[in-house]
Amino acid sequence: MVAGRIACTAGLYALLAAVTCTPGVAQDAFYKGKQITILVNFAPGGPTDVEARLFTRSIGRHIDGNPVLIVRNMDGAGGMTGANYLGEIAPRDGTYVGYFSSVAWLYSVMPGQRRVALDQFDFAAYQPGTAIHYVRTDVKPGIKSVDQILGAEDLVVGGLSRDNAKDVMMRLALDMLGVHYKYVTAYVGSQGVRLALQRGEVNYYAESPAVYRTQIEPLVKQGQVIPLYYDPGYDGQSFSVPKQMDGLEIPSFLDVYRKFKSAEPSGLQWESYLAALSVNNGTQRIVALPPHSPPGAIAALQKAIHEMQNDPAYIADATKAFGYVPEYVADGDTSDRVRKMLNVKPDVQAFMQKYMAEH
C-alpha cells in the first residue's frame, strides 16, 4: 500500500508513467503497438528537419510501449502548410506530433487570420533558440568583419517567405542598421537558400547554431563567409546569451547596433524585433499535438523527453552533430507558457502586418 500511495501522490510523474493509483495494477503504455508520425513543417535538410530527425531517433528509445516512429516533411507557406495539416486533418489520437519552427510568430502577429488558432494546439515541449547571421566575404567592396557591413554594395538577402520569422528578423536587423539590400524569397527550405548562397545568387542569410556549426563554419574557415551577429535571448524583460552560442566568438545584434549607433535601439522596428525574439526565438522549436489530443499521449511524450535529455547517447549524438545539446522545456505548464508567449501588442501586430506585406 505504501508503494501505491507514493504512486498516487507523485503528481506529474505518476501521470507521465501512465499508471493507476491502484497498487500493483498498471495500465498498458499509451503508445504500445502504435506508430507515431513526427511532422516537420520544413523541407528535408533544413535546420528544423535536422534537429527533428535527431529528436525522433533519440526520443524513440524512451517512449513506453516501443512505438514505431517515422518523420514526414510537409513544407510550404513559411511553415504553415504543416501546421494547418496538423490542426485540421491529422488524427487527434496522439499518433501525429508536430516538430515545428516559425509558426508561433505567424499566429502571434496575425491572430484570427489562420484556419486553426495555434493557442488551441496542445504542446508537449518547446526549445528556445537563436539564429546566426552571416554574409559572403566577396560582397563589394569586400566584407572581412562586421564593421564593414554598413558599406556593403549589392547585398542580397535570401529567404523563405515574407512572413517567415527568420526572414523578418534578418530584414529588421538590416533596416535598423541602415544597410541597403535586396530581398529574394521563395526558396524551398534553408537548404535551398544555402545552396543559392554558395552559388552566389544571394549573399546573406541566417542559420540556427546547429546548422551554423556543422555547415557554415567550414565555409568560414575557407574564407567564403563570415558571421556578423546573433539574435540575443530575450524573455520579455532582459537579454541573455543563448546556451547554443557557447564557444562561438560572435557578437549579438544588440552589441553591434550599440557600437554602430552609439545609442540604444527604439521605435516600432525595434519593438517588432523584440517581439520576434520573445515569440519565435523563445519557441524556436515546438513539439505540438492537434487540439484536444489525449492527455496520455502528452504525458508519455513529456516523460520520454525528460528521460532523453539525461540519456548519454542523446547527449553524445547531439554534441557530435551540433556542438551542443538542444534542451527542451516539457512539463505540465508547457501549453500555458507557449500560449502566453504568443501575446503581441496590437500596435506591433499592425506594424508587422504592413511590414511583411510591403518589404
Side-chain angles (χ1 to χ4, degrees), residues 35-327:
Q35 175 176 289
I36 304 174
T37 298
I38 304 296
L39 185 67
V40 182
N41 66 330
F42 283 97
T48 307
D49 176 71
V50 171
E51 290 189 25
R53 291 179 185 275
L54 176 63
F55 174 86
T56 302
R57 185 168 65 251
S58 302
I59 197 176
R61 296 192 292 265
H62 299 281
I63 300 178
D64 292 338
N66 298 314
V68 175
L69 278 78
I70 63 172
V71 174
R72 179 180 178 184
N73 295 84
M74 189 175 292
D75 61 309
M80 289 305 307
T81 299
N84 286 336
Y85 181 89
L86 186 71
E88 292 183 312
I89 301 173
R92 301 188 178 192
D93 59 2
T95 60
Y96 259 74
V97 179
Y99 194 96
F100 293 160
S101 61
S102 295
V103 292
W105 170 250
L106 296 176
Y107 281 106
S108 67
V109 296
M110 293 184 284
Q113 298 185 29
R114 301 296 173 180
R115 299 200 299 263
V116 182
L118 189 65
D119 60 9
Q120 299 301 308
F121 284 65
D122 291 314
F123 302 102
Y126 65 90
Q127 178 202 152
T130 184
I132 299 172
H133 302 235
Y134 62 96
V135 66
R136 285 182 60 118
T137 55
D138 59 2
V139 171
K140 296 178 181 178
I143 309 295
K144 304 303 180 184
S145 73
V146 67
D147 295 336
Q148 297 171 301
I149 191 64
L150 294 181
E153 300 175 12
D154 301 323
L155 188 67
V156 182
V157 177
L160 305 178
S161 66
R162 289 185 176 275
D163 55 7
N164 178 272
K166 186 164 64 176
D167 287 28
V168 166
M169 296 178 76
M170 288 189 294
R171 297 181 342 252
L172 283 171
L174 292 172
D175 287 342
M176 284 186 281
L177 293 176
V179 178
H180 297 288
Y181 63 92
K182 177 182 178 182
Y183 172 57
V184 179
T185 186
Y187 287 100
V188 179
S190 287
Q191 186 177 29
V193 184
R194 200 178 309 122
L195 291 173
L197 185 136
Q198 291 176 332
R199 292 192 299 263
E201 296 173 13
V202 302
N203 45 45
Y204 179 108
Y205 194 51
E207 303 276 12
S208 71
V211 174
Y212 178 84
R213 290 175 185 270
T214 57
Q215 301 195 43
I216 306 306
E217 277 196 328
L219 302 180
V220 174
K221 293 177 180 178
Q222 295 168 17
Q224 296 182 31
V225 305
I226 63 163
L228 297 173
Y229 41 77
Y230 70 88
D231 297 315
Y234 182 67
D235 62 3
Q237 296 182 331
S238 59
F239 297 99
S240 62
V241 179
K243 184 177 180 180
Q244 296 98 317
M245 295 303 300
D246 287 355
L248 294 174
E249 299 297 325
I250 302 172
S252 74
F253 170 74
L254 183 58
D255 291 334
V256 170
Y257 184 94
R258 287 167 170 165
K259 179 180 179 180
F260 286 174
K261 303 293 184 178
S262 300
E264 293 296 312
S266 61
L268 273 173
Q269 287 183 344
W270 174 241
E271 291 184 29
S272 298
Y273 180 80
L274 289 180
L277 287 180
S278 180
V279 175
N280 183 69
N281 288 14
T283 58
Q284 187 171 61
R285 306 287 184 252
I286 298 177
V287 181
L289 290 88
H292 312 298
S293 289
I298 301 168
L301 291 171
Q302 290 183 333
K303 174 178 179 291
I305 290 170
H306 278 286
E307 293 180 359
M308 178 189 76
Q309 296 195 123
N310 294 310
D311 182 351
Y314 167 68
I315 294 171
D317 288 346
T319 302
K320 180 178 179 180
F322 308 139
Y324 68 94
V325 181
E327 295 184 350

